[in-house]
Each structure stands twice: as C-alpha cells, then as structure tokens.
Amino acid sequence: MSFEIAVQSAIYSALTGDAGLMALIEGVYDAVPETEVFPYVVIGEDTHASYTTNTTLGKDVSCVIHTWSRDRGKKETKTIQGEIYDALNRSALTYTGHKIVNCEEESSDSFVDADGLTRHGVQSFRVLIERV
C-alpha cells in the first residue's frame, strides 16, 4: 500500500470517526458531490518527502484540510477547524502496515472565498509515517 493512500485513509478515518466533528458537518470528502450542502470538509492537497533511514522506510507529509461553510460569520468555520485540530493534532492515527509517528498542525487560516459568500478554512498538518 502506498504511503499516500495510508495517510489519506488514516486522516479520513480519524475525521469521520470524530462524533463532535460529524455533528457539525455534512461530510468529509476527497471529491465533493455536486449535490453537497454546506458545511463540509475536504481532504486536499498533500506533499510527500522522503523520511527514510538505513532501517526505516518513511515519508514526511504535509496535508491540507479545507473547511467550507456558508454561515454569515466565521464562527462555524472556526468551530469546525477546532474539531479537526482535536481529531488530528498529536492523535494516534493508524493504518494497516504503517506507523503514524506523529501528526501536528502546522498552520490554520480562515477567510471569505472569492465568491463573497463562502467561508473557507485551511489547515495544514505535518504527518510522519513509516512502513512496518
């Protein structure tokens, strides 16, 4: 199994398994259905760099999580981002055949999207993963 699939699957499982987050959103997606309603979360872009030693195969991954809301203020977006932080930051992510060494938030931002209506939250997480 690829590191890329392992990281995305572990993050997806952690997010969809968090009852607090799922109570706030309609879903967690890779590709958003055309009929989706707000708010929702998208597992977005990821960048993988080698984290390999003489004894371990691994990757150092930066993964972006997007929050989308049509609430008039930023409170909904920031509340969802807080739940994402709680679900992922320093959590024990798992995926068969891999060990998630660490997952930490690197940055978080929220702003009004270009359409003037949609609130957009962007969080970046750094994940260190090894094959076992």
Side-chain angles (χ1 to χ4, degrees):
M1 180 65 61
S2 75
F3 286 104
E4 291 78 4
I5 296 296
V7 170
Q8 183 166 340
S9 297
I11 289 173
Y12 178 82
S13 292
L15 295 178
T16 58
D18 185 282
L21 175 63
M22 296 310 293
L24 296 173
I25 64 173
E26 296 298 318
V28 176
Y29 302 103
D30 175 5
V32 181
E34 289 183 29
T35 59
E36 186 52 54
V37 296
F38 293 91
Y40 58 87
V41 170
V42 175
I43 301 173
E45 307 76 16
D46 51 7
T47 304
H48 296 251
S50 179
Y51 179 68
T52 300
T53 67
N54 289 338
T55 59
T56 305
L57 295 176
K59 294 279 183 138
D60 183 348
V61 182
S62 178
C63 183
V64 177
I65 309 295
H66 298 272
T67 299
W68 299 94
S69 169
R70 283 277 172 90
D71 198 56
R72 290 189 42 85
K74 292 182 183 176
K75 182 178 180 182
E76 182 175 68
T77 300
K78 290 182 177 189
T79 301
I80 293 167
Q81 286 181 297
E83 289 292 331
I84 293 168
Y85 177 90
D86 290 345
L88 297 179
N89 195 67
R90 295 191 175 186
S91 67
L93 300 179
T94 60
Y95 192 77
T96 304
H98 295 80
K99 176 184 175 188
I100 310 291
V101 178
N102 194 25
C103 178
E104 287 193 29
E105 184 184 67
E106 292 185 309
S107 65
S108 179
D109 193 9
S110 63
F111 48 90
V112 178
D113 208 38
D115 66 5
L117 301 171
T118 308
R119 307 295 176 189
H120 186 181
V122 179
Q123 291 168 277
S124 178
F125 288 86
R126 182 178 183 202
V127 181
L128 299 177
I129 183 171
E130 297 174 352
R131 188 167 289 148
V132 294

